[in-house]
Amino acid sequence: PTVRKAALNLLESALPQCHDLDPKAIQAITCASHDTFVSVRRQAVVTASALFNSFSEKECASRMWLQVILSLSVDTEQSIQSRCQDSFQKDFLSSISNGKGKHFVQLIASENNFALLLRKVMSMVKLTHSQLSKVARVVQNEIQAIDMPSEQTGYWVILSETVAKYPSLVSGDLIHRSLKELDRYLPAAKTLARVMQTIRSSAKSLNQEILMETSKLLTEKLRTFCIPIDAISHCLATLNELSKNQQKMLLEHVAQSAEGFFKSCIGKKGLTGPETRKLASAIFTMGELSLLK
């Protein structure tokens, strides 16, 4: 372990002098993050954080940081957890707050394991309202500046996890705008799912008008089987959360529509492509509703 730790120290010192982040060096650092010795894993955290700061403009540096720091944030060794959490605030949150975390955003959007790890870390790290307020503001500004919903995914991932800690950080204007453009989000299931998670988490801080509008829109889209299958469970969970304070009959309307369409298709031959997709959506909806009961 002494030799491996020394090698990490050498990489940390030498690579910035070479002005290059070699793929083999990255592989060595990520492998060290899985080492059985605590001292080596701890040094991997220090090296990954230092090299990220030296090469923050490179996508590979952000990927290395996510692979090492997010993974070791849930390490069994408390001292490693603590170092990772410090790096999370100093490197990740600061990059997002300063508008320099585009590589982080893109990687979190494209690789689900990073999004899952982000959720775990956000739930573990003690973060104040003021620490996350700038993150939320920057992320929401970025969302509003991007026209294509499919390109907003990473920002919605970060916003949804931020709002899960502090619901009041979401802008009612952003939610209202997203609902008005809901049809544009339908082809982007990953983004739509995160929009729904954000609304679900912030339900208690949103005004009644927005909540009612959300409920009506979701009920309409679910009853007409417009929601992509990958986002149905998120939409139903959101509608279920909103229905706790409103009419439970909304979910019943969705259930009745799904069951009615399913029955109308039984024994019918030669279903068209759209009918087949609607049937799959109806069946999936019925299954998800049974889990909510």
Side-chain angles (χ1 to χ4, degrees):
T2 304
V3 173
R4 296 196 292 278
K5 184 179 176 183
L8 291 171
N9 268 315
L10 180 61
L11 289 173
E12 182 182 334
S13 303
L15 290 175
Q17 302 300 320
C18 300
H19 304 289
D20 185 36
L21 194 53
D22 184 76
K24 291 182 178 179
I26 292 176
Q27 184 178 9
I29 296 165
T30 54
C31 284
S33 69
H34 302 289
D35 201 281
T36 54
F37 284 85
V38 169
S39 61
V40 177
R41 299 201 304 279
R42 188 185 298 121
Q43 184 59 48
V45 173
V46 174
T47 300
S49 178
L51 289 177
F52 167 75
N53 282 285
S54 296
F55 298 97
S56 58
E57 77 285 355
K58 292 181 176 289
E59 188 261 7
C60 60
S62 295
R63 179 184 292 277
M64 175 191 65
W65 188 95
L66 290 169
Q67 289 174 328
V68 174
I69 306 299
L70 284 190
S71 297
L72 289 179
S73 293
V74 294
D75 194 272
T76 53
E77 171 59 39
Q78 185 61 45
S79 64
I80 292 177
Q81 280 190 29
S82 179
R83 284 180 181 269
C84 287
Q85 291 173 10
D86 288 344
S87 178
F88 180 75
Q89 296 180 54
K90 178 172 66 76
D91 300 330
F92 182 83
L93 293 182
S94 293
S95 293
I96 301 298
S97 296
N98 295 327
K100 298 178 180 180
K102 291 191 184 301
H103 290 315
F104 280 144
V105 174
Q106 292 165 357
L107 288 165
I108 286 171
S110 62
E111 301 190 26
N112 195 47
N113 60 314
F114 290 148
L116 292 173
L117 283 169
L118 177 64
R119 174 174 295 185
K120 287 184 179 180
V121 175
M122 287 287 284
S123 66
M124 291 171 56
V125 181
K126 292 182 179 179
L127 298 166
T128 65
H129 188 280
S130 60
Q131 281 178 301
L132 290 179
S133 61
K134 187 175 181 182
V135 172
R137 184 169 63 254
V138 169
V139 165
Q140 289 176 93
N141 287 340
E142 291 287 351
I143 289 172
Q144 296 196 66
I146 299 171
D147 184 58
M148 293 296 292
S150 59
E151 296 175 7
Q152 300 172 4
T153 308
Y155 291 106
W156 276 107
V157 171
I158 296 170
L159 180 61
S160 64
E161 301 304 340
T162 302
V163 171
K165 291 186 84 74
Y166 295 105
S168 63
L169 289 177
V170 74
S171 163
D173 290 340
L174 175 66
I175 299 300
H176 182 68
R177 173 188 162 181
S178 302
L179 290 172
K180 285 180 66 177
E181 300 179 350
L182 187 61
D183 285 343
R184 298 183 66 234
Y185 281 88
L186 295 180
K190 286 177 68 175
T191 309
L192 178 59
R194 288 297 181 158
V195 174
M196 291 299 108
Q197 183 182 325
T198 303
I199 293 175
R200 193 160 66 247
S201 297
S202 59
K204 292 181 180 178
S205 67
L206 295 173
N207 65 50
Q208 281 298 115
E209 185 179 346
I210 291 179
L211 295 179
M212 288 296 294
E213 182 182 359
T214 305
S215 298
K216 289 177 180 178
L217 273 172
L218 287 180
T219 303
E220 176 195 343
K221 298 302 180 185
L222 287 163
R223 290 185 68 185
T224 52
F225 315 110
C226 296
I227 305 292
I229 284 180
D230 289 347
I232 287 176
S233 60
H234 293 278
C235 291
L236 285 171
T238 300
L239 185 57
N240 184 53
E241 179 66 30
L242 301 184
S243 296
K244 289 178 180 177
N245 302 317
Q246 300 176 50
Q247 314 97 309
K248 201 70 175 178
M249 68 179 72
L250 296 178
L251 283 175
E252 293 174 3
H253 289 332
V254 174
Q256 288 168 5
S257 296
E259 290 169 10
F261 187 77
F262 175 73
K263 289 176 181 177
S264 71
C265 291
I266 294 176
K268 187 176 180 180
K269 295 181 180 179
L271 291 174
T272 65
E275 285 177 328
T276 301
R277 287 191 290 273
K278 281 189 174 184
L279 178 58
S281 180
I283 293 171
F284 192 87
T285 299
M286 289 164 61
E288 290 297 315
L289 282 169
S290 68
L291 296 176
L292 290 175
K293 291 181 180 178

